[in-house]
Amino acid sequence: MPASEITADALSASGRTSEKLSLPTLQSKMKCDPEGYETELSLIYSQFKSSVELFQQQAALNFTSAASGGVGSDPTVAKDLGDRAMFLAHVTPFYPNQLLGYPKELVEFLRTSARVLPSSLRVTVTQALILLLNRKIVAIKETLALFMELQVLSDKVLKELAFSHVIHSIRRMNQKHKNETENRALQSILFSMLQEEDEKKAMRSLVTICDLHRRKVWFDDRTANAICRACFHSSSRIMIAALSFLLDYEKIEQDSDSDASSDEDEAVHQPHVVVSKEAIYKAKNTGTTSSKKKKKAKLQRVIRSMKKQQRISSERDNNSNYYSPLNSLKDAQGFAEKLFSRLQTCGERFEIKMMIVKVVARTVGLHRLILLNFYPFLQKYVQPHQRDVTNLLAAAVQACHDMVPPDAVEPLFKQIVNQFVHDRSRTESIAVGLNVVREICLRIPLLMTEDLLQDLVLYKKSHEKADRGRPTDPKAKPKAFGEVTVPNDVPGADLLRDEEEDDDDDDGSDGSDQDEDNSGIGEEDAIRPKLETDASDSTDGILSNEDFQRIKELKTKKDAKLALAHHGLLKKASDPKSTVFKIPTSDQLSLKRVDGVTLEANIRKKMTKEERKALIKAGREDTGKYQARAAIKQNKTGGLSNRQKEHKKAMPLAAKRSKVERSRRQKKIKQKTAGKQFRGRKAWK
């Protein structure tokens, strides 16, 4: 008997006579009157059990597929079983006592016979189990291992269904508040599965963990360390997936001036943006219409860049935009050493080795580790003709920090200078070498010597290299190795002091213009109040809330001036104290992502003759065929010209009469002389 119909003979036990009832109709009636349909429920439940036992017996007989050699060869049998499973899942909340063991039977059926079931039946039974899970009849902790095993099967629809269910159920569980007990139980299941030798199970567990970490559902140190430990899995596919996730999680800054963007001292939490009034006035009132349009567009770009810098600075203080799973390593030194040892012994292809080099370099730079053997390893590959040499140099830059002894990096540094920066090197190689030298010297200034600096300065005459300028303080010297600067003041207090000094200078200039009425006052009386104020300022170092608010405003103005000066909207002479380039701190450099593309100079290469021809032909495609100016005027579309309009202009009445009379007269003269015209002598006479 098909599962979608219940005949009258089946209902005779309950004393009820009826026509054939479909399962959806019976389901709706059971929800309205659960007690009146217990007989039908027991009948359908017994049919479900018998079908499940039949499929389980076939699975025990080692059938490769129930659909190929058994009861599942008939598609109606599999469809009936799926319909009964879905029907029972819908009515389970209304019959908790009668269907108490149904969820466990469904789980056991999928665990034992999922591999031999037809694809449609597998998906239907899985959907029935998901329905029970959504109604909280079954806990996800009991079925997580089953859903991970279902993802291993070669069934694309089932894999997507099981994966999406695991992700959404865990997200829903942590939507209102974090349930640490449940999360730890689920994490222990996935982490143990990640360490298994079975590559398919480990891959699916890694994909699930990474997706939950990316969605910030499992955003804790345990999950980050589990992903990092996957880099040491025996399977190369698992290792590559973990390395790819760690590298893709890094958000590389693609700003045109990366140095200026990383020179923000503190986060700016002001929602408004301060722009100079002079720039706004020029954009709106001075110049022609086209120049005003350009100035306004330039001003809008400045405002957008300032807002972006403020957002980045605020996110930097909140540690949200600059987070990486590598930051949460419990044993960063051990992780870097173990991964570097695997790099030295692995026989993977070059791309995989480059991924390992990037992760090791990023770990060394983030945690300021000492891995002295890493720099000689990179030195072997530092050649201009090396494949992906810019990414390799970017990894070398990221592995440098102020805690590394300069002697350990000096051979690598000299190798870069000797191989890239010399007279016979190509322009592109010289530009990449100078960029790498600058980035390394920002992190380890002691590597730069006076002779080397004089040699490198000579390359600034080349048009392809940008001269970064020099710092405003000529007496500045790099700190010695191990030297630490201890701050003794509130960050930004110097801006407040500079503003007070400017105010004092203004007051002094105003006082000099006054009459000399106080000439009789002694010098001691005049100096005494100034000394008292200085002493009070030196002893009282407490700042009020208004002072901190003023410091924020001054920082915003300073950032605005820097952005305007960078975009050419503010003259350098207008503010001599402002500097466009400022050396970033070691903390900012450790967080800075260095991309190999940023090390390459944007140099315009000389095109060949074929490339120039192709460029010329590409420009001619839109111009069309050449035409004379007169032909263009004749074929022009749109309105008529003034001369054409004059021809169509209505003539006065007198002009019309004279024109008619003149044409009549000419016609009469033509008729008179029509037959008297000499037509020549005939040739045959």
Side-chain angles (χ1 to χ4, degrees):
M1 179 180 62
S4 60
E5 298 177 353
I6 303 296
T7 59
D9 298 335
L11 299 177
S12 60
S14 60
R16 195 184 294 112
T17 59
S18 173
E19 297 293 333
K20 295 181 179 180
L21 294 177
S22 61
L23 286 180
T25 306
L26 185 61
Q27 175 183 327
S28 62
K29 291 185 177 182
M30 281 185 173
K31 291 180 179 180
C32 298
D33 185 14
E35 297 179 355
Y37 291 90
E38 292 183 357
T39 306
E40 290 81 352
L41 176 68
S42 60
L43 176 63
I44 296 175
Y45 191 26
S46 61
Q47 292 174 354
F48 170 77
K49 286 183 177 180
S50 61
S51 300
V52 167
E53 289 177 358
L54 186 58
F55 275 96
Q56 287 178 345
Q57 289 176 2
Q58 286 192 350
L61 294 176
N62 296 325
F63 276 99
T64 57
S65 176
S68 60
V71 68
S73 58
D74 189 1
T76 58
V77 177
K79 186 179 183 302
D80 293 343
L81 179 57
D83 292 341
R84 291 192 186 97
M86 187 61 70
F87 172 81
L88 293 174
H90 277 285
V91 300
T92 298
F94 302 95
Y95 299 95
N97 297 326
Q98 290 85 344
L99 299 177
L100 183 62
Y102 172 69
K104 293 182 179 179
E105 294 175 359
L106 204 61
V107 171
E108 187 64 24
F109 175 56
L110 279 175
R111 183 178 288 112
T112 57
S113 308
R115 294 184 179 275
V116 298
L117 293 179
S119 177
S120 58
L121 179 59
R122 268 199 306 257
V123 173
T124 306
V125 175
T126 305
Q127 289 175 347
L129 183 58
I130 291 174
L131 181 61
L132 296 176
L133 284 165
N134 292 338
R135 293 181 175 179
K136 298 182 179 180
I137 300 175
V138 184
I140 187 175
K141 181 172 61 175
E142 302 174 0
T143 58
L144 179 61
L146 173 62
F147 278 100
M148 298 305 297
E149 291 178 359
L150 292 177
Q151 297 181 36
V152 179
L153 301 178
S154 57
D155 191 344
K156 185 177 179 180
V157 179
L158 182 65
K159 183 186 296 185
E160 294 177 355
L161 179 64
F163 176 73
S164 62
H165 165 68
V166 170
I167 298 298
H168 293 317
S169 59
I170 296 177
R171 286 184 63 189
R172 196 183 309 114
M173 183 180 66
N174 296 276
Q175 190 172 7
K176 295 183 179 179
H177 60 86
K178 298 289 184 181
N179 193 346
E180 293 296 335
T181 306
E182 292 291 333
N183 284 332
R184 284 184 176 273
L186 298 177
Q187 285 175 356
S188 61
I189 296 174
L190 291 179
F191 293 168
S192 61
M193 193 175 296
L194 182 59
Q195 300 300 324
E196 292 182 4
E197 296 295 331
D198 190 356
E199 183 179 324
K200 292 184 178 180
K201 286 186 179 180
M203 178 61 74
R204 297 313 304 172
S205 61
L206 178 62
V207 171
T208 305
I209 294 170
C210 291
D211 193 88
L212 291 171
H213 189 74
R214 181 180 57 83
R215 296 173 183 269
K216 296 186 178 181
V217 179
W218 285 354
F219 206 63
D220 52 353
D221 296 344
R222 292 187 67 210
T223 308
N225 281 272
I227 295 172
C228 294
R229 284 196 302 271
C231 297
F232 309 117
H233 199 274
S234 58
S235 174
S236 60
R237 292 184 64 236
I238 307 298
M239 179 190 67
I240 294 170
L243 292 173
S244 301
F245 178 77
L246 294 176
L247 292 176
D248 293 341
Y249 208 95
E250 299 284 340
K251 296 181 180 178
I252 300 173
E253 299 174 1
Q254 300 290 347
D255 298 335
S256 59
D257 192 358
S258 58
D259 294 326
S261 65
S262 62
D263 291 338
E264 303 292 335
D265 288 335
E266 294 294 331
V268 182
H269 299 282
Q270 296 290 337
H272 63 278
V273 179
V274 179
V275 184
S276 74
K277 296 180 180 179
E278 183 182 0
I280 298 175
Y281 179 80
K282 287 183 178 180
K284 292 184 178 179
N285 300 310
T286 61
T288 60
T289 305
S290 60
S291 64
K292 286 180 185 178
K293 200 176 202 180
K294 293 179 181 178
K295 290 176 184 177
K296 287 180 181 179
K298 202 170 188 180
L299 193 64
Q300 292 297 326
R301 288 197 298 269
V302 173
I303 292 174
R304 284 197 298 269
S305 66
M306 291 168 58
K307 287 183 178 181
K308 182 180 179 181
Q309 293 302 326
Q310 290 179 357
R311 185 175 66 253
I312 290 175
S313 299
S314 61
E315 289 176 350
R316 181 183 306 167
D317 278 359
N318 296 331
N319 293 327
S320 59
N321 192 34
Y322 289 87
Y323 173 79
S324 172
L326 297 173
N327 292 340
S328 304
L329 283 171
K330 295 181 180 178
D331 185 13
Q333 184 70 35
F335 174 79
E337 291 178 355
K338 190 175 180 181
L339 193 59
F340 180 59
S341 63
R342 182 164 187 175
L343 171 64
Q344 291 176 317
T345 57
C346 74
E348 300 291 339
R349 60 184 187 272
F350 179 76
E351 292 83 358
I352 311 305
K353 290 184 177 180
M354 279 299 302
M355 294 172 66
I356 300 176
V357 167
K358 290 179 183 179
V359 173
V360 172
R362 193 74 189 114
T363 307
V364 171
L366 277 176
H367 297 274
R368 298 185 185 180
L369 306 177
I370 305 297
L371 196 63
L372 301 181
N373 296 333
F374 185 62
Y375 307 101
F377 178 81
L378 295 178
Q379 186 178 352
K380 297 186 297 184
Y381 299 96
V382 175
Q383 300 288 340
H385 56 79
Q386 176 63 41
R387 180 183 175 187
D388 290 341
V389 68
T390 54
N391 293 328
L392 193 68
L393 293 174
V397 170
Q398 287 184 336
C400 296
H401 53 86
D402 54 352
M403 301 301 293
V404 179
D407 299 338
V409 192
E410 187 175 2
L412 175 63
F413 184 73
K414 288 183 178 180
Q415 177 86 359
I416 294 172
V417 174
N418 295 333
Q419 293 290 335
F420 288 88
V421 187
H422 55 84
D423 296 337
R424 295 188 177 182
S425 181
R426 292 188 303 171
T427 309
E428 298 87 346
S429 300
I430 296 175
V432 171
L434 291 177
N435 291 332
V436 174
V437 168
R438 185 186 70 250
E439 292 292 338
I440 292 179
C441 289
L442 281 175
R443 291 159 174 79
I444 309 177
L446 296 176
L447 288 173
M448 181 61 68
T449 60
E450 185 176 357
D451 297 337
L452 178 60
L453 183 60
Q454 291 178 359
D455 294 339
L456 295 179
V457 166
L458 298 177
Y459 288 92
K460 72 178 181 180
K461 297 180 182 179
S462 180
H463 296 287
E464 287 82 5
K465 289 85 182 176
D467 189 6
R468 290 285 180 174
R470 60 181 180 181
T472 56
D473 189 5
K475 298 181 180 180
K477 294 182 180 180
K479 294 187 294 184
F481 176 68
E483 183 180 353
V484 180
T485 302
V486 180
N488 55 1
D489 201 353
V490 178
D494 53 346
L495 299 175
L496 197 60
R497 284 195 297 268
D498 293 341
E499 186 189 24
E500 292 176 356
E501 290 177 2
D502 295 340
D503 295 340
D504 294 340
D505 295 339
D506 295 339
D507 295 340
S509 61
D510 294 339
S512 63
D513 297 336
Q514 297 177 358
D515 297 335
E516 297 180 357
D517 297 336
N518 299 329
S519 59
I521 300 176
E523 295 180 358
E524 296 180 358
D525 296 336
I527 296 174
R528 187 179 297 112
K530 184 177 179 181
L531 294 176
E532 290 177 358
T533 55
D534 293 342
S536 62
D537 292 340
S538 61
T539 55
D540 186 10
I542 301 175
L543 299 177
S544 61
N545 292 332
E546 291 79 7
D547 295 335
F548 283 107
Q549 189 69 21
R550 185 58 184 165
I551 287 173
K552 289 182 179 180
E553 294 177 358
L554 292 174
K555 286 179 183 177
T556 307
K557 289 183 179 179
K558 183 180 178 182
D559 298 336
K561 289 180 180 179
L562 289 174
L564 290 171
H566 176 64
H567 288 81
L569 294 178
L570 184 66
K571 295 182 180 179
K572 295 181 180 179
S574 62
D575 190 5
K577 293 184 179 180
S578 65
T579 57
V580 179
F581 178 75
K582 184 179 178 182
I583 298 176
T585 61
S586 58
D587 295 335
Q588 293 173 347
L589 289 172
S590 64
L591 291 176
K592 180 183 176 183
R593 278 76 168 170
V594 181
D595 190 11
V597 179
T598 59
L599 299 177
E600 299 177 3
N602 295 323
I603 302 171
R604 184 177 178 182
K605 299 179 182 179
K606 187 177 180 180
M607 294 188 296
T608 60
K609 187 176 181 180
E610 290 76 11
E611 292 176 349
R612 292 197 300 271
K613 284 184 177 180
L615 185 61
I616 292 171
K617 290 180 180 179
R620 288 177 177 175
E621 291 177 357
D622 299 334
T623 57
K625 188 179 179 181
Y626 174 76
Q627 290 181 346
R629 184 175 295 180
I632 295 175
K633 285 185 177 181
Q634 291 176 0
N635 297 331
K636 77 169 189 174
T637 58
L640 301 175
S641 64
N642 293 335
R643 183 172 297 178
Q644 290 173 344
K645 290 178 181 178
E646 288 178 358
H647 285 294
K648 290 188 175 183
K649 189 181 294 184
M651 298 176 63
L653 184 60
K656 284 184 178 180
R657 288 177 179 176
S658 63
K659 184 178 181 181
V660 170
E661 185 65 26
R662 186 169 56 253
S663 63
R664 187 184 297 116
R665 194 183 310 117
Q666 290 177 356
K667 189 175 181 181
K668 285 183 179 180
I669 294 171
K670 189 176 182 180
Q671 287 177 356
K672 287 180 181 180
T673 59
K676 299 179 180 180
Q677 294 292 333
F678 177 72
R679 298 184 179 181
R681 188 176 298 174
K682 294 182 180 179
W684 57 85
K685 283 185 178 181

